[in-house]
Amino acid sequence: MSSHMNINKEGQNNRNTSQHNVVHGKTSANYNLNNKHRIKLTHSPQSETSAEEPEAKKLKLDPEENNKSRKPDGKRVRGQNKSRPHMKPTTYDDKQLCLSVIQENKKCFYGEKCKFFHDVAEYMANKPADVGERCYIYDTFGKCQYSLSCRFAKAHTSPDLKNVVNEELVKAREGRTVVKNSLDKDLQNRLRKRSVSFKKSAEYLKTISKDNKEKTEQQGNGESRKLFTVLIIIQYLFFSAVNNFYSYFSQSSLASSFKMKLLTVFCMVVTMASVVIGFLLDKLQVSEEKQNLVKTVGPLTDADIVRLRPCEKKQVHLSCPSESEPRPFCGNLPFRRVCKRFGADITCGEMAMCTNLLQGQQSEWALLKRHETEDLFGVQVEGCFPDTMTRCAELINNNTEVDFVDINSGCPIDLVYKKGGGCGLMTRSRKFEQIVRGMNYVLDVPLTVKIRTGVQEKCSIAHKLIPEMKKWGVSMITLHGRSREQRYTKLADWDYINTCSKLASPIPLFGNGDILSYEDAMKARETGVSGIMIARGALIKPWIFTEIKERRDWDISSGERLDILRDFTNYGLEHWGSDTRGLEKTRNFLLEWLSFLCRYIPVGLLERVPQRINERPPYYMGRDYLESLMASQHVGDWVKISEMLLGPVPKNFNFLPKHKANAYK
């Protein structure tokens, strides 16, 4: 008898989706899903609820286990853990080896006051046990820069506790820059002292101030004309009153001496009033004449000849079928390398705050780093003011190697939106225009923009903005088929994306939303978009790029998926370091990624292919122990997978997942 199990839509409150019960390869109901027992996917409309399982197949959960992910009233815990604990870099490695010892033959700047180890033997006695026998950094580059502090130090440590170097590998890689766009120390100091020159930005910002001045003058012209009319009326009434007063005064029976004094004062007042009114009228006439003068363009200068025209800028070649857009936590350099290996054509860095880049923050500049394997790479920036965004664009243009710069005006995060950035720019069209024109003015590479359908769910405004963006000089537009209010719930509106792609022509428009298989990608390409951008789909299954290029569903095994995770950890150790600090940082990013990877359902277990991105499976057991472990939504099981690759966690290890539904106490 076959076992039919329905997959519930994301966001529905079904008792079977409250907590995944795979622990140590066991489930509370021992279903062995082989070729006869497959998971049945029911893709019902969003408003309908999924049909319940047959009575005989309902799982009996332990009450304590079931209540861990539920509120006191029985409802499932939802939303994000916004106040997650921030672990300091020194949390897991409070006693480190001094950098002077690691780099060898260098004197310690702090001398006896140094808090780190200088005695190698003492450090090795207190150091945590090594994780493995082979060091990926040493095997790849011939030298591990972390020396004895490396958690794989046995692979490159001599009996006399010296760091071993493979000279052949070092010479073979000599002169190669593996990672580009690192923050130079000199540039960082100049940014902190605010001594970096932004000449082009200053030129553009002057034009903005001139435009604002002209606008105020134009507004003032209307007011001046009104004032001119009022002054003429006042002048007419004033002289009429003077004539009437003088005729009355001459016929009055006052004393002659008093009459003379009063007449003198009266003449002085009349004279002063006449002078003031005449002066105001002359000034208004002169200003109006100046406004009517024809403005000349001026002589042709070298700057006009040297400056690149929009058509001369380097273009992004969009002959590729897909684009990978990394997301926070998983959109890091090691993850992009994994996507690149599976066939991603364009990679883009995580969203960086323009103000943090201008302040020279090392953590923000790390988001701009580019690996040598990324042949078409862009950076993504966020900001809400023309001055900071223009300066940031000039800074990136002069100090990094990128193929395009992207403005993220689709970020729905409250912190960004409330300041006027992200989706907030879509409702501030004047500022948006100034930002786009300013960045285009200072950049030598194409400028792209990422937007959503709008801010409110039932009030789309992207179709109004896109024709304006064409005038502003945008090279490419990426449209996410949801509004800010929707975030990532409900299905993306590809019909609306299709409408917008026609409005954007001839500018390329990339569509984004709900791509999890090559069938989804093919349907998306039928809408007329120039390309597709894959975000969550790449986090759930990074091999989606291979599926799209080869047009097939890949029934990837658990062993192959573990190899992908192993590659990610190796890339992470190379990027963040193979010492304790770098290893635990790699583990943290791996656990964040596993919160997406656990949503994948193996193709061999599905009764209906393909899986949809908004569907969630019921409790099931995989075809082997590792597949069951990878399907678990328990944080404890994610930690077990990380221990397979990065060794046991420290005693004081703490990790709280991003989503409350996956949390446990």
Side-chain angles (χ1 to χ4, degrees), residues 143-180:
K143 180 182 179 180
C144 180
Q145 58 183 335
Y146 298 94
S147 186
L148 300 175
S149 63
C150 175
R151 293 295 299 274
F152 306 85
K154 289 179 183 177
H156 49 79
T157 304
S158 62
D160 58 342
L161 301 179
K162 296 289 184 181
N163 193 30
V164 178
V165 179
N166 186 336
E167 297 292 346
E168 291 182 5
L169 271 175
V170 172
K171 285 182 180 179
R173 286 188 163 267
E174 194 174 359
R176 283 177 60 183
T177 306
V178 179
V179 178
K180 302 174 184 177

Side-chain angles (χ1 to χ4, degrees), residues 206-216 430 434:
K206 281 180 182 177
T207 62
I208 290 181
S209 61
K210 281 182 181 178
D211 291 342
N212 292 337
K213 192 175 181 181
E214 287 175 3
K215 214 165 192 179
T216 53
R430 188 167 172 236
Q434 290 175 346

